Amino acid sequence: QQQVKQSPQSLIVQKGGISIINCAYENTAFDYFPWYQQFPGKGPALLIAIRPDVSEKKEGRFTISFNKSAKQFSLHIMDSQPGDSATYFCAARDTGNQFYFGTGTSLTVIP
Amino acid sequence: GAGVSQSPRYKVAKRGQDVALRCDPISGHVSLFWYQQALGQGPEFLTYFQNEAQLDKSGLPSDRFFAERPEGSVSTLKIQRTQQEDSAVYLCASSLVGGLTEAFFGQGTRLTVV
């Protein structure tokens, strides 16, 4: 059973556009929600993270929006650049410090 | 080195063969994690060490999988009698203290069982 559901599976965006990736979860005990960026042949790297007591967190061009009542969170990449082309994973942590990852979104930013 | 190093980068094993995957964490990092990433999927937890102690091995899929970290530094993930469903990228991550929130991932070992 997929603990964290992620969509879309793939995304193509024009340079300068906004990339939006969505995730949903069911376990209300999750207490930490990170996003990872993974380039081909590399391990995932932490991009940005949010805790459920905050509705939004922004770091540069990357923003997480968090809707606790809907149990959904999303990653917004503003002014998307070709260098942002990668696979993005959302994740959630339970009280046992166990992390559950989404299935990933392959983002392609077209110049 | 500066990051988490895994070896080999690629491993092809015949079904039934035993394999050993190595992880060199960042020097001084206490916590070490192993994850399995199937093609087109997100990483799935296998096991977690704090120093040499294996605190959680609930994600190991079968008793053919075994992990150790005898001196609290380098870790080895061993898979006995490999099966085709074991084909995946095996990721190692380490953190100075605490959990995955502060961890850095290695590049992974891509295992293909033929």
Side-chain angles (χ1 to χ4, degrees), chain A residues 22-108:
Chain A
N22 300 298
C23 284
Y25 64 96
E26 286 298 324
N27 187 347
T28 56
F30 287 153
D31 65 358
Y32 178 76
F33 300 87
W35 284 90
Y36 288 84
Q37 180 187 56
Q38 185 175 28
F39 292 104
K42 304 291 186 181
L46 180 64
L47 188 62
I48 186 173
I50 198 168
R51 298 187 188 277
D53 54 347
V54 176
S55 61
E56 186 175 281
K57 182 173 181 180
K58 184 175 181 180
E59 291 184 0
R61 296 184 294 107
F62 300 91
T63 300
I64 299 179
S65 296
F66 188 83
N67 186 330
K68 189 173 181 178
S69 61
K71 292 183 284 187
Q72 294 176 348
F73 58 110
S74 60
L75 175 70
H76 295 234
I77 305 174
M78 312 300 287
D79 186 27
S80 298
Q81 299 297 311
D84 297 331
S85 297
T87 299
Y88 293 81
F89 293 96
C90 61
R93 183 183 70 183
D94 69 11
T95 52
N97 207 26
Q98 182 78 269
F99 279 69
Y100 299 90
F101 286 79
T103 51
T105 296
S106 176
L107 171 66
T108 302

Side-chain angles (χ1 to χ4, degrees), chain A residues 5-28:
Chain A
K5 296 181 180 179
Q6 183 172 348
S7 63
Q9 188 174 16
S10 62
L11 182 61
I12 300 174
V13 173
Q14 292 277 356
K15 179 183 176 181
I18 303 174
S19 303
I20 302 175
I21 304 170
N22 300 298
C23 284
Y25 64 96
E26 286 298 324
N27 187 347
T28 56

Side-chain angles (χ1 to χ4, degrees), chain B residues 5-82:
Chain B
S5 178
Q6 292 188 245
S7 60
R9 286 294 316 277
Y10 304 94
K11 176 69 179 177
V12 178
K14 291 185 178 179
R15 191 171 56 182
Q17 189 177 357
D18 297 349
V19 298
L21 312 180
R22 177 186 170 106
C23 173
D24 281 85
I26 295 173
S27 178
H29 277 197
V30 168
S31 299
L32 186 145
F33 307 81
W34 283 98
Y35 278 78
Q36 181 190 58
Q37 186 174 18
L39 188 65
Q41 300 294 314
E44 291 194 0
F45 173 79
L46 292 176
T47 187
Y48 161 57
F49 290 85
Q50 189 165 321
N51 293 308
E52 69 278 4
Q54 189 174 20
L55 298 187
D56 188 346
K57 56 181 181 179
S58 62
L60 296 176
S62 77
D63 58 7
R64 297 186 295 105
F65 286 71
F66 173 77
E68 60 183 5
R69 195 186 184 197
E71 297 178 358
S73 177
V74 171
S75 178
T76 304
L77 176 67
K78 297 179 179 178
I79 309 173
Q80 298 177 322
R81 304 181 303 282
T82 53

